[in-house]
Amino acid sequence: MNLKTKINLGFLAMLLLLLSIGGYGYYSLRQLDRNSRDVLTANLYSVTLGQQMLRSLDELARQPLTDTVATARFAAALSKEAGNITEAGEQEVVEELGQRLRVLQQLQSAAPAPAALVAAPPAVAELRRLTYQMVEVNTAALTRKTAQANRRADEANRNLLVFLTLATLLALGLVGSVPEAAVQPLRRLTAALNHATERDFSASIPRKAPTNLGRWPGPSTAC
Protein backbone atom coordinates (compact mmCIF):
# COMPACT_ATOMS: atom_id res chain seq x y z
CA MET A 1 0.00 0.00 0.00
CA ASN A 2 1.57 3.31 -1.07
CA LEU A 3 1.75 6.49 0.98
CA LYS A 4 -1.06 8.27 -0.82
CA THR A 5 -3.45 5.39 -0.22
CA LYS A 6 -2.53 5.25 3.46
CA ILE A 7 -3.17 8.96 3.88
CA ASN A 8 -6.49 8.80 2.03
CA LEU A 9 -7.70 5.79 4.01
CA GLY A 10 -6.63 7.37 7.28
CA PHE A 11 -8.43 10.63 6.64
CA LEU A 12 -11.49 8.78 5.33
CA ALA A 13 -11.65 6.72 8.51
CA MET A 14 -11.29 9.88 10.60
CA LEU A 15 -14.07 11.57 8.62
CA LEU A 16 -16.42 8.61 9.03
CA LEU A 17 -15.72 8.41 12.73
CA LEU A 18 -16.30 12.13 13.24
CA LEU A 19 -19.54 11.95 11.26
CA SER A 20 -20.62 9.01 13.40
CA ILE A 21 -19.88 10.94 16.59
CA GLY A 22 -21.79 13.98 15.36
CA GLY A 23 -24.75 11.92 14.15
CA TYR A 24 -24.98 9.92 17.35
CA GLY A 25 -24.69 13.05 19.49
CA TYR A 26 -27.45 14.76 17.50
CA TYR A 27 -29.70 11.69 17.73
CA SER A 28 -29.15 11.40 21.49
CA LEU A 29 -29.96 15.07 22.07
CA ARG A 30 -33.12 14.77 19.96
CA GLN A 31 -34.26 11.75 21.95
CA LEU A 32 -33.66 13.46 25.28
CA ASP A 33 -35.44 16.61 24.09
CA ARG A 34 -38.45 14.62 22.88
CA ASN A 35 -38.67 12.66 26.12
CA SER A 36 -38.49 15.87 28.14
CA ARG A 37 -41.28 17.41 26.07
CA ASP A 38 -43.44 14.31 26.54
CA VAL A 39 -42.98 14.46 30.31
CA LEU A 40 -43.82 18.16 30.42
CA THR A 41 -46.86 17.73 28.19
CA ALA A 42 -48.27 14.71 29.95
CA ASN A 43 -47.35 14.20 33.59
CA LEU A 44 -46.27 17.66 34.71
CA TYR A 45 -49.43 19.16 33.23
CA SER A 46 -51.55 16.64 35.14
CA VAL A 47 -49.73 17.49 38.38
CA THR A 48 -50.42 21.19 37.75
CA LEU A 49 -54.10 20.45 37.18
CA GLY A 50 -54.16 18.41 40.38
CA GLN A 51 -52.78 21.36 42.32
CA GLN A 52 -55.51 23.59 40.89
CA MET A 53 -58.12 21.04 41.92
CA LEU A 54 -56.73 20.87 45.45
CA ARG A 55 -56.87 24.66 45.79
CA SER A 56 -60.51 24.57 44.71
CA LEU A 57 -61.20 21.88 47.31
CA ASP A 58 -59.58 24.03 50.00
CA GLU A 59 -62.14 26.72 49.20
CA LEU A 60 -64.97 24.20 49.05
CA ALA A 61 -64.07 22.82 52.47
CA ARG A 62 -65.14 26.13 54.05
CA GLN A 63 -68.53 26.28 52.30
CA PRO A 64 -69.13 22.95 50.55
CA LEU A 65 -72.79 23.60 49.72
CA THR A 66 -72.72 27.23 48.65
CA ASP A 67 -69.37 27.80 46.96
CA THR A 68 -70.41 26.93 43.42
CA VAL A 69 -67.58 29.03 41.96
CA ALA A 70 -64.94 26.77 43.49
CA THR A 71 -66.95 23.76 42.32
CA ALA A 72 -66.93 25.12 38.77
CA ARG A 73 -63.16 25.66 38.89
CA PHE A 74 -62.68 22.12 40.13
CA ALA A 75 -64.90 20.78 37.35
CA ALA A 76 -62.98 22.75 34.69
CA ALA A 77 -59.61 21.41 35.88
CA LEU A 78 -61.03 17.89 36.04
CA SER A 79 -62.30 18.20 32.47
CA LYS A 80 -58.81 19.16 31.28
CA GLU A 81 -57.32 16.25 33.19
CA ALA A 82 -59.79 13.88 31.54
CA GLY A 83 -58.26 14.87 28.19
CA ASN A 84 -54.70 14.23 29.40
CA ILE A 85 -54.81 10.59 30.50
CA THR A 86 -51.37 9.03 30.01
CA GLU A 87 -50.75 6.54 32.83
CA ALA A 88 -52.18 3.18 33.81
CA GLY A 89 -54.90 3.53 36.43
CA GLU A 90 -55.32 7.25 35.82
CA GLN A 91 -58.49 6.81 33.79
CA GLU A 92 -60.25 4.98 36.63
CA VAL A 93 -59.33 7.67 39.15
CA VAL A 94 -60.57 10.46 36.87
CA GLU A 95 -63.86 8.65 36.23
CA GLU A 96 -64.42 8.21 39.96
CA LEU A 97 -63.61 11.88 40.51
CA GLY A 98 -66.31 12.75 37.98
CA GLN A 99 -68.84 10.58 39.80
CA ARG A 100 -68.00 12.12 43.19
CA LEU A 101 -68.21 15.61 41.71
CA ARG A 102 -71.71 14.93 40.41
CA VAL A 103 -72.71 13.75 43.89
CA LEU A 104 -71.44 17.01 45.38
CA GLN A 105 -73.27 19.05 42.77
CA GLN A 106 -76.49 17.20 43.61
CA LEU A 107 -75.97 17.97 47.29
CA GLN A 108 -75.45 21.64 46.46
CA SER A 109 -78.71 21.61 44.51
CA ALA A 110 -80.52 20.04 47.50
CA ALA A 111 -79.16 22.56 50.03
CA PRO A 112 -80.03 23.55 52.67
CA ALA A 113 -81.55 20.12 53.36
CA PRO A 114 -80.17 18.56 56.57
CA ALA A 115 -79.00 15.46 54.70
CA ALA A 116 -77.01 17.63 52.31
CA LEU A 117 -75.37 19.47 55.19
CA VAL A 118 -74.22 16.16 56.64
CA ALA A 119 -73.07 14.54 53.38
CA ALA A 120 -71.23 17.49 51.82
CA PRO A 121 -68.02 17.48 53.94
CA PRO A 122 -67.36 13.74 53.38
CA ALA A 123 -67.96 14.27 49.65
CA VAL A 124 -65.31 17.00 49.56
CA ALA A 125 -62.93 14.80 51.56
CA GLU A 126 -63.40 11.96 49.07
CA LEU A 127 -62.70 14.32 46.18
CA ARG A 128 -59.51 15.39 47.92
CA ARG A 129 -58.39 11.78 48.42
CA LEU A 130 -58.96 10.92 44.77
CA THR A 131 -57.21 14.10 43.62
CA TYR A 132 -54.15 13.22 45.68
CA GLN A 133 -54.24 9.75 44.15
CA MET A 134 -54.29 11.23 40.65
CA VAL A 135 -51.38 13.52 41.48
CA GLU A 136 -49.45 10.61 42.97
CA VAL A 137 -49.87 8.54 39.80
CA ASN A 138 -48.39 11.31 37.68
CA THR A 139 -45.66 12.15 40.20
CA ALA A 140 -44.53 8.51 40.21
CA ALA A 141 -44.50 8.56 36.40
CA LEU A 142 -42.41 11.75 36.46
CA THR A 143 -39.88 10.12 38.77
CA ARG A 144 -39.72 6.97 36.66
CA LYS A 145 -39.35 8.79 33.35
CA THR A 146 -36.72 11.13 34.77
CA ALA A 147 -34.69 8.15 35.95
CA GLN A 148 -35.01 6.56 32.50
CA ALA A 149 -33.88 9.79 30.84
CA ASN A 150 -30.87 9.96 33.17
CA ARG A 151 -29.92 6.39 32.28
CA ARG A 152 -30.19 7.15 28.57
CA ALA A 153 -28.07 10.26 29.02
CA ASP A 154 -25.40 8.26 30.87
CA GLU A 155 -25.42 5.63 28.13
CA ALA A 156 -25.08 8.31 25.45
CA ASN A 157 -22.15 9.85 27.33
CA ARG A 158 -20.41 6.47 27.54
CA ASN A 159 -20.91 5.80 23.85
CA LEU A 160 -19.61 9.23 22.90
CA LEU A 161 -16.57 8.65 25.10
CA VAL A 162 -15.90 5.37 23.28
CA PHE A 163 -16.20 7.09 19.90
CA LEU A 164 -13.88 9.88 20.98
CA THR A 165 -11.35 7.37 22.27
CA LEU A 166 -11.41 5.51 18.96
CA ALA A 167 -11.02 8.78 17.07
CA THR A 168 -8.04 9.74 19.23
CA LEU A 169 -6.35 6.36 18.75
CA LEU A 170 -6.94 6.51 15.01
CA ALA A 171 -5.52 10.03 14.84
CA LEU A 172 -2.45 8.98 16.81
CA GLY A 173 -1.97 5.96 14.56
CA LEU A 174 -2.27 8.15 11.48
CA VAL A 175 0.18 10.70 12.86
CA GLY A 176 2.64 7.94 13.73
CA SER A 177 2.42 5.91 10.52
CA VAL A 178 2.31 8.56 7.79
CA PRO A 179 5.63 10.29 8.63
CA GLU A 180 7.32 6.90 8.98
CA ALA A 181 6.06 5.84 5.57
CA ALA A 182 7.15 9.16 4.09
CA VAL A 183 10.76 9.04 5.34
CA GLN A 184 11.36 5.34 4.77
CA PRO A 185 12.41 5.75 1.10
CA LEU A 186 14.71 8.60 2.09
CA ARG A 187 16.34 6.37 4.69
CA ARG A 188 16.95 3.67 2.08
CA LEU A 189 18.45 6.22 -0.28
CA THR A 190 20.68 7.61 2.49
CA ALA A 191 21.85 4.12 3.40
CA ALA A 192 22.66 3.34 -0.24
CA LEU A 193 24.60 6.59 -0.61
CA ASN A 194 26.55 5.81 2.55
CA HIS A 195 27.47 2.42 1.11
CA ALA A 196 28.61 4.11 -2.09
CA THR A 197 30.68 6.62 -0.13
CA GLU A 198 32.37 3.74 1.67
CA ARG A 199 33.01 2.13 -1.77
CA ASP A 200 30.64 -0.70 -0.95
CA PHE A 201 29.24 -1.25 -4.44
CA SER A 202 27.22 -4.28 -3.46
CA ALA A 203 24.35 -2.01 -2.36
CA SER A 204 22.21 -0.45 -5.06
CA ILE A 205 20.52 2.95 -5.07
CA PRO A 206 16.77 2.54 -5.56
CA ARG A 207 15.75 4.06 -8.85
CA LYS A 208 12.01 4.01 -8.18
CA ALA A 209 10.51 4.89 -4.83
CA PRO A 210 8.12 2.30 -3.39
CA THR A 211 5.74 5.11 -2.47
CA ASN A 212 4.39 8.16 -4.28
CA LEU A 213 7.53 10.21 -3.76
CA GLY A 214 8.52 9.72 -7.40
CA ARG A 215 11.74 8.46 -8.99
CA TRP A 216 15.15 8.93 -7.52
CA PRO A 217 17.66 10.56 -9.86
CA GLY A 218 20.88 8.84 -10.76
CA PRO A 219 21.95 5.47 -12.09
CA SER A 220 20.55 2.22 -10.83
CA THR A 221 23.88 1.18 -9.26
CA ALA A 222 26.59 3.12 -7.51
CA CYS A 223 29.84 3.60 -9.38
Side-chain angles (χ1 to χ4, degrees):
M1 183 183 297
N2 59 37
L3 179 60
K4 181 179 179 180
T5 303
K6 287 184 178 181
I7 294 175
N8 289 337
L9 289 178
F11 280 111
L12 179 61
M14 284 289 296
L15 178 61
L16 291 176
L17 196 54
L18 290 175
L19 288 175
S20 299
I21 293 173
Y24 182 77
Y26 176 76
Y27 171 78
S28 300
L29 289 176
R30 290 281 295 177
Q31 286 292 104
L32 291 174
D33 179 67
R34 185 169 60 184
N35 292 335
S36 299
R37 290 178 184 273
D38 290 342
V39 169
L40 290 174
T41 302
N43 303 111
L44 189 58
Y45 182 56
S46 291
V47 172
T48 302
L49 291 174
Q51 292 173 346
Q52 295 176 7
M53 293 161 65
L54 289 172
R55 285 194 294 268
S56 298
L57 290 174
D58 289 338
E59 298 175 7
L60 271 172
R62 292 190 288 268
Q63 295 179 332
L65 292 179
T66 58
D67 195 347
T68 56
V69 175
T71 304
R73 283 200 295 267
F74 182 90
L78 179 60
S79 177
K80 294 177 182 177
E81 167 59 19
N84 193 49
I85 303 296
T86 57
E87 302 302 323
E90 189 176 4
Q91 180 70 45
E92 292 78 4
V93 176
V94 171
E95 289 177 354
E96 190 171 356
L97 275 167
Q99 295 173 1
R100 297 294 180 177
L101 176 61
R102 286 190 290 273
V103 170
L104 177 62
Q105 289 171 335
Q106 291 172 359
L107 292 174
Q108 289 175 339
S109 300
L117 292 173
V118 174
V124 173
E126 183 64 14
L127 285 172
R128 186 184 302 276
R129 183 188 70 81
L130 291 171
T131 301
Y132 273 119
Q133 185 176 347
M134 183 268 291
V135 171
E136 183 179 354
V137 168
N138 284 278
T139 302
L142 272 172
T143 303
R144 184 182 69 254
K145 292 177 181 179
T146 300
Q148 291 174 351
N150 289 335
R151 286 195 297 271
R152 282 192 290 267
D154 291 339
E155 182 180 357
N157 288 334
R158 286 193 299 269
N159 292 337
L160 285 175
L161 182 60
V162 170
F163 281 133
L164 289 174
T165 302
L166 291 176
T168 302
L169 293 176
L170 181 60
L172 291 175
L174 185 62
V175 169
S177 63
V178 170
E180 178 64 25
V183 301
Q184 188 176 3
L186 297 177
R187 288 176 178 172
R188 285 200 293 267
L189 176 61
T190 302
L193 291 175
N194 288 335
H195 285 299
T197 302
E198 296 171 359
R199 306 187 67 80
D200 181 6
F201 302 115
S202 61
S204 61
I205 299 176
R207 183 174 181 82
K208 183 177 181 180
T211 63
N212 285 354
L213 293 179
R215 296 178 179 271
W216 304 116
S220 59
T221 58
C223 57

